Amino acid sequence: MKIWSSSRWKKPAQGALLASTFVLGGCVTVPYADDVRDVRSTLGSRWAPELPVPALTGEAPRGEDVDTVVKELLSQPLTADAAVRIALLNNRDLRAAMHELGIATGNVVQASLPPIPEVGLEVTKPAGSTKVQTGLGLEYNLSDLILLPQRRGVALAERASEQARTASEVLGLAYRTRLAFYEVQARRQQLELRNLALRNAQARYGTAVELEKVGNLRALDLATERSAVEAARLAVAEADNALQDAREDLNVELGLFGADTQWTVDALLADPSDALSKQEGLEARAIEVSLDLSELRGRMEAADRRNQLARTEGFLPTLSGGVHGEREDDRWEMGASLRVGVPLFDRKRGERIATLSSRESLKARYEATATAIRASLRQARFRVESTASRAMHVRDVLLPATRKALEETVLQYNAMQLGVFDLLRAQDNVTNAASTYVDTLLEHHRARAALEQLLAGRHQGVELAPTRISSAASGSAPAADAH
Amino acid sequence: MDRREFMQFGALAGGTLLAGQALAQTPSNLAPAVRARAEKPRIVAPGGQVAVVTPNGSTLPWKNVGGVKVGHLVAMPVRHTFAPGLEVEAWGYNGSTPGPTIEAVEGDRIRIYVTNRLPEPTTVHWHGLILPNGMDGVSGLNQRPIAPGETFAYEFTLNRAGTYMYHPHYDEMTQMALGMMGMLIVHPKRSRGPRVDRDFALMTHEWKVLPGMRRPDPNAMSDFNVLTFNSKAFPATAPLVIGRGERVRIRLGNLSAMDHHPIHLHGLYFEVTGTDGGFVPESARYPETSVLVPVGSTRVIEFVADEPGDWAMHCHMTHHVMNQMGHAAPVTVGANARNIDKQVQALVPQYMTMGQDGMGGMEEMGMPVPPNSIPMKGGKGPFGSIDMGGMFTVLKVRENPEAEDGSGWYVHPKGTVADKADPAKLAADGIDPDVRFG
Ligand SMILES: [Cu+2]
């Protein structure tokens, strides 16, 4: 594991700080644009190159422009990339996270300010005297001034940690948006297939009605076909509900409500590709770029610095110094003073125990997280490969096999060896194979998003659905010999 | 019959055998077999008894060795065509199913070598013959089975004239289902009854070959879907060409697995003159147009056809005149096809409802069917398609049979074919075609 150095985090943060200190001066504004820029630079190389980050510019909070861009994106059928773009522009949780980073920025600014000098004015009139004596004093807390660089160091480390966490939230949003988008695509395709299955059941029932009408079919068979139609209708309603759920999940990520939720999706789930999972050294890469680990490292650094601060405070006497002037008889008398508080009883031992423990706890958590990241990566990688090969098996073998079976059933139907019901059942098997393809493809895209997410640096919230184990006989009993 | 006659006969029969083999190899070319029907009948037995003709088949050639007729049967896998378009992996003898008809004369001593080229043992049972027990061919009871590659010799004297059959008696179910059988005919030393001019042998059989399959199913116990005369299904059955006024004998044998066949002849009536048990006394004969041929039996019928024409001859079980009839499809007779088509075609564009107005003329729809399957019915006839298949053939009664090769149709004298009624005649006869009942 790479030994972490804090230097790489200091630079951008310090830059921001400088900007804040000098530019803001006396009037305070929220340093949103700078925080966004910092997050962007944190994401930097971690950000998978094909993912867009235009939303994360300083212009992001300017409502009007954002709305125009979002509306423009929503006016066309959504793609996964467009959805991510909208989410980055429009998701209020992300904006909240950015403002949370502002809190840390504020803390840095605050910690960088030198202590305030205390000015004292004394006006006395000794008894019996008509003259008024004026005294002027200036007191300055020297300890705070000496400790300022260390306090600022703590605040900087904390901000670095926050910055990593915020960057990770950007990734998290992009990830959740992708998942929600794939879910919408899959549910839309499944709804179409369930509608096809319903039409199939209706065709069987319609045929049964015609045959029963002229006395060629038992009431039993008619009732059986009828029940199949009603079951298929229910499946359509369920699929429709699932699509609505998926749309709403995506709306949450996109930060949309009202008329803006009328977006459409017309792209089908893309074909599988396991090219990414085939690359070498993925585990090491995931560890290297992990923002989860960066955040923990920032917090470890902050704990270290807090510990150092406490140590310094523990032995540094409380120092304050001042100058004092008194005007007497139109003449100023000047003097200086130094006050030393000796830390005899409070040597900050408790605080040092706390910060050290916090440091050790974070270290253990760091190692546990690294282990979990490696395991997740291997799991995601295997899932990407497995779902790719499964999806291709469905697409290139199973689906053509069911189509071939349908063709052969047509021939057997023409030869009067099989009936129209067998024919429609063979057609239904094609639909079911297509359904399996969509399911497998969704699982694949979910796994790929998870893998990309891990390689972009976020482990938190990455989830793979439990593996499905379908029964081999799913609904495709061979219709070869009817006897 | 003298020795010279026998040699002559043998040569002829051998020629027929070769033609039969050629036929098996080029199944679509039926012409040679058809033409063979029209030859002038040959005399093969004393008393001017004519040779047996096996339509679509052949006769076993003999070698005369020291007064013994020596023949050779090879049990073997056979590529067989039931009708153009339906070829199967069958089993048979000497390259064909049924095997060659064995034809001899009462009192002959015959020695038949049986070579087994099947993948499993076999035997030959001489069905209906009374012979020394060790020659009866029941595996395990009368002999040990003939192992693959072995050749056994069967030798016995034919003591009784009649119409018999031969078939394996080892794994009967499989070997017979796959086509192993043949007719065995023993002419009487002195001809009995009136001399016949034509003598035919027809072996009836049933098979199960689902469309798209290449091997008959020996496990079938019902739903046989290929019904044959001499292992041919109409339209590939060769017609029987005879002369008007000729006396004709047809020997029917049945080695089907499960079905008896009521064979019905049009245009004449006949008498049953023999069974595999012997000759039916004249006093016991009665006129018939159908004869039931039970499984494991032979029936010999004789008739004189006076009415010229092309006459149907078939099994009267209606499913036995269908080829590869399917029994699993729902009945659509009477249904509104348009309502069904609309819904099903949306899902399966190639779909078309069939049979809603009955199944006549269905073979003309020309829908694609699985490879290696034949239309359920339909052969070319002078007035269009003949709406039958399977165990169906045509008896062609002609003034001059030798001039016919069996491929031509009877030319009807003017005004002797049923046709649309003349309205004037309808009116004159007081027939109202629009009459309502009930
Ligand atoms: Cu029959």
Side-chain angles (χ1 to χ4, degrees):
Chain A
M1 205 176 298
K2 214 176 148 185
I3 301 297
W4 173 70
S5 113
S6 70
S7 62
R8 81 190 264 202
W9 298 103
K10 273 181 188 162
K11 281 170 191 161
Q14 275 170 340
L17 180 69
L18 273 167
S20 316
T21 327
F22 294 120
V23 175
L24 301 177
C27 79
V28 174
T29 56
V30 174
Y32 193 93
D34 297 311
D35 287 340
V36 167
R37 201 190 60 209
D38 286 352
V39 168
R40 252 193 107 179
S41 74
T42 302
L43 286 170
S45 60
R46 288 180 174 77
W47 196 249
E50 73 267 22
L51 298 181
V53 240
L56 288 173
T57 65
E59 291 159 32
R62 293 218 308 258
E64 204 67 0
D65 294 353
V66 169
D67 283 354
T68 318
V69 177
V70 167
K71 287 217 180 332
E72 169 66 28
L73 286 168
L74 286 174
S75 67
Q76 280 150 31
L78 279 186
T79 62
D81 286 351
V84 169
R85 207 169 282 151
I86 294 168
L88 293 180
L89 282 167
N90 208 38
N91 183 288
R92 296 306 195 270
D93 274 332
L94 181 63
R95 220 169 275 183
M98 287 293 175
H99 284 297
E100 274 159 25
L101 180 56
I103 298 172
T105 306
N107 289 342
V108 172
V109 172
Q110 194 57 49
S112 307
L113 299 176
I116 304 166
E118 284 173 25
V119 179
L121 174 68
E122 254 176 59
V123 181
T124 51
K125 190 177 168 227
S129 170
T130 53
K131 278 186 184 164
V132 174
Q133 289 184 5
T134 312
L136 258 177
L138 184 81
E139 281 277 334
Y140 202 74
N141 188 336
L142 292 172
S143 313
D144 275 1
L145 192 65
I146 293 167
L147 289 171
L148 183 133
Q150 282 195 29
R151 289 221 170 93
R152 207 174 132 248
V154 170
L156 278 173
E158 270 167 357
R159 188 182 182 278
S161 158
E162 262 313 285
Q163 194 175 315
R165 199 183 63 78
T166 311
S168 165
E169 282 209 21
V170 173
L171 292 181
L173 175 64
Y175 172 64
R176 290 196 310 275
T177 306
R178 271 180 193 281
L179 289 196
F181 182 80
Y182 295 145
E183 192 78 23
V184 168
Q185 280 185 304
R187 293 298 155 211
R188 205 176 63 91
Q189 285 174 249
Q190 290 293 20
L191 175 61
E192 227 166 80
L193 291 170
R194 283 311 104 205
N195 268 314
L196 191 61
L198 172 61
R199 287 213 300 281
N200 187 302
Q202 283 168 330
R204 282 191 334 245
Y205 177 60
T207 304
V209 167
E210 292 300 328
L211 295 183
E212 201 267 349
K213 227 188 270 173
V214 294
N216 295 341
L217 201 87
R218 299 177 299 177
L220 165 64
D221 303 313
L222 188 65
T224 305
E225 295 304 340
R226 172 75 202 280
S227 70
V229 169
E230 298 314 323
R233 210 189 292 283
L234 196 64
V236 169
E238 285 166 355
D240 197 18
N241 197 333
L243 174 59
Q244 285 312 316
D245 283 353
R247 284 183 69 97
E248 290 314 327
D249 287 348
L250 184 53
N251 276 330
V252 168
E253 304 304 345
L254 299 180
L256 297 177
F257 54 87
D260 287 341
T261 58
Q262 300 304 309
W263 45 265
T264 60
V265 169
D266 62 12
L268 304 179
L269 281 168
D271 279 344
S273 154
D274 60 354
L276 178 62
S277 70
K278 298 268 189 245
Q279 291 173 20
E280 290 300 312
L282 293 186
E283 256 182 76
R285 224 163 92 194
I287 293 295
E288 167 137 7
V289 301
S290 170
L291 289 169
D292 301 287
L293 295 180
S294 286
E295 184 194 337
L296 284 167
R297 282 196 301 262
R299 287 168 63 191
M300 276 154 72
E301 168 85 4
D304 272 343
R305 284 171 180 271
R306 219 174 278 125
N307 182 264
Q308 271 167 29
L309 176 65
R311 213 169 51 190
T312 315
E313 278 177 328
F315 65 76
L316 184 74
T318 320
L319 290 174
S320 57
V323 285
H324 184 79
E326 227 175 64
R327 190 186 157 95
E328 210 174 342
D329 303 330
D330 300 324
R331 203 166 51 87
W332 279 99
E333 274 178 23
M334 300 298 291
S337 68
L338 180 69
R339 217 173 291 164
V340 179
V342 187
L344 261 184
F345 308 106
D346 180 4
R347 311 204 62 163
K348 299 280 178 191
R349 226 181 116 235
E351 211 173 309
R352 283 171 59 199
I353 291 172
T355 50
L356 267 179
S357 300
S358 155
R359 167 73 167 72
E360 288 313 301
S361 156
L362 287 165
K363 186 167 173 265
R365 225 166 274 295
Y366 184 95
E367 280 156 8
T369 304
T371 305
I373 289 172
R374 287 172 182 272
S376 294
L377 187 110
R378 288 191 300 269
Q379 198 186 10
R381 173 190 195 150
F382 184 77
R383 186 70 71 90
V384 167
E385 284 172 7
S386 156
T387 50
S389 69
R390 271 189 275 147
M392 284 189 281
H393 180 77
V394 176
R395 186 190 63 191
D396 302 337
V397 184
L398 177 62
L399 206 49
T402 57
R403 287 206 188 99
K404 175 74 178 162
L406 174 59
E407 276 170 36
E408 291 294 335
T409 308
V410 170
L411 295 183
Q412 291 288 340
Y413 167 80
N414 290 347
M416 277 192 71
Q417 304 297 307
L418 294 172
V420 58
F421 297 107
D422 302 296
L423 190 60
L424 287 168
R425 266 185 280 275
Q427 196 282 325
D428 213 29
N429 284 343
V430 179
T431 305
N432 288 336
S435 212
T436 305
Y437 181 58
V438 172
D439 278 352
T440 314
L441 213 49
L442 174 62
E443 207 186 329
H444 173 73
H445 284 290
R446 289 181 66 95
R448 214 167 65 163
L451 184 60
E452 277 168 2
Q453 181 73 353
L454 286 163
L455 292 173
R458 184 173 161 102
H459 174 241
Q460 231 183 82
V462 163
E463 259 176 49
L464 296 173
T467 316
R468 287 174 303 112
I469 301 169
S470 55
S471 71
S474 60
S476 52
D481 194 342
H483 313 298
Chain B
M1 183 187 282
D2 65 18
R3 194 187 147 91
R4 214 172 134 238
E5 257 183 279
F6 254 116
M7 294 306 284
Q8 210 178 1
F9 168 70
L12 280 165
T16 320
L17 171 62
L18 286 174
Q21 280 170 333
L23 180 61
Q25 280 150 11
T26 52
S28 56
N29 182 8
L30 293 165
V34 171
R35 270 189 214 101
R37 302 291 72 74
E39 280 164 17
K40 200 176 164 69
R42 300 178 307 281
I43 307 300
V44 289
Q49 296 176 78
V50 298
V52 170
V53 167
T54 309
N56 299 106
S58 66
T59 305
L60 184 73
W62 293 120
K63 258 185 240 170
N64 198 331
V65 182
V68 177
K69 287 180 177 171
V70 176
H72 187 195
L73 286 178
V74 179
M76 59 188 282
V78 170
R79 267 185 171 254
H80 178 73
T81 301
F82 289 118
L86 183 58
E87 191 182 80
V88 289
E89 311 282 340
W91 287 358
Y93 296 98
N94 297 11
S96 71
T97 169
T101 298
I102 297 171
E103 188 176 19
V105 180
E106 189 182 9
D108 280 349
R109 181 149 188 94
I110 61 171
R111 185 183 306 137
I112 298 185
Y113 291 102
V114 177
T115 299
N116 182 7
R117 285 196 200 131
L118 299 173
E120 67 164 350
T122 190
T123 66
V124 178
H125 164 63
W126 315 97
H127 183 113
L129 286 181
I130 298 170
L131 35 58
N133 188 257
M135 292 291 152
D136 199 46
V138 178
S139 168
L141 178 65
N142 306 116
Q143 66 167 90
R144 69 173 180 87
I146 310 169
E150 286 185 332
T151 299
F152 274 37
Y154 290 90
E155 183 166 341
F156 43 85
T157 302
L158 301 169
N159 288 322
R160 288 168 58 251
T163 299
Y164 308 104
M165 302 183 285
Y166 63 94
H167 63 81
H169 234 302
Y170 176 94
D171 189 13
E172 295 84 354
M173 185 188 87
T174 305
Q175 298 193 357
M176 291 170 75
L178 289 181
M180 298 189 67
M181 56 195 58
M183 299 289 285
L184 195 163
I185 286 140
V186 183
H187 294 280
K189 217 178 266 174
R190 214 164 302 145
S191 70
R192 299 173 67 136
R195 201 182 65 92
V196 298
D197 302 295
R198 309 265 168 187
D199 197 337
F200 295 101
L202 288 174
M203 173 71 83
T204 61
H205 196 42
E206 61 189 1
W207 321 64
K208 182 173 178 182
V209 187
L210 293 176
M213 290 194 180
R214 274 199 303 119
R215 197 177 288 275
D217 176 4
N219 300 332
M221 211 173 146
S222 58
D223 280 338
F224 296 94
N225 64 351
V226 179
L227 281 292
T228 54
F229 280 132
N230 288 340
S231 299
K232 289 285 179 183
F234 184 75
T237 47
L240 277 54
V241 183
I242 63 171
R244 186 165 79 95
E246 283 181 348
R247 187 169 182 83
V248 177
R249 178 187 293 136
I250 300 177
R251 304 164 190 263
L252 297 158
N254 183 4
L255 287 176
S256 299
M258 302 296 292
D259 284 296
H260 315 306
H261 301 293
I263 304 298
H264 177 62
L265 272 76
H266 295 211
L268 52 89
Y269 63 87
F270 55 75
E271 284 180 349
V272 177
T273 59
T275 67
D276 33 2
F279 294 89
V280 179
E282 253 177 85
S283 58
R285 299 177 189 175
Y286 48 88
E288 262 300 5
T289 63
S290 293
V291 56
L292 184 67
V293 189
V295 174
S297 298
T298 64
R299 293 288 181 269
V300 182
I301 60 171
E302 287 182 24
F303 56 84
V304 174
D306 286 326
E307 197 64 43
D310 295 326
W311 300 102
M313 173 180 175
H314 60 97
C315 175
H316 216 288
M317 295 201 181
T318 56
H319 278 212
H320 288 191
V321 284
M322 296 289 278
N323 292 322
Q324 294 188 299
M325 166 77 190
H327 307 101
V331 176
T332 52
V333 178
N336 184 335
R338 213 178 311 159
N339 288 353
I340 299 174
D341 285 356
K342 200 171 57 192
Q343 294 187 65
V344 181
Q345 277 166 357
L347 297 151
V348 186
Q350 310 96 307
Y351 173 81
M352 199 173 134
T353 299
M354 293 184 285
Q356 69 275 9
D357 37 23
M359 291 183 207
M362 254 174 66
E363 63 289 342
E364 282 146 29
M365 287 165 45
M367 295 161 91
V369 292
N372 205 37
S373 63
I374 47 175
M376 286 196 296
K377 52 200 182 146
K380 221 178 116 201
F383 298 100
S385 181
I386 298 168
D387 212 25
M388 275 183 276
M391 208 175 274
F392 178 94
T393 189
V394 179
L395 191 70
K396 290 179 175 282
V397 183
R398 294 289 187 271
E399 294 294 347
N400 183 7
E402 274 76 36
E404 294 267 350
D405 67 1
S407 63
W409 298 109
Y410 176 66
V411 181
H412 301 82
K414 205 171 169 350
T416 63
V417 177
D419 211 339
K420 198 174 166 182
D422 172 7
K425 216 162 175 212
L426 274 175
D429 290 345
I431 299 297
D432 173 15
D434 300 323
V435 67
R436 289 280 177 274
F437 301 98

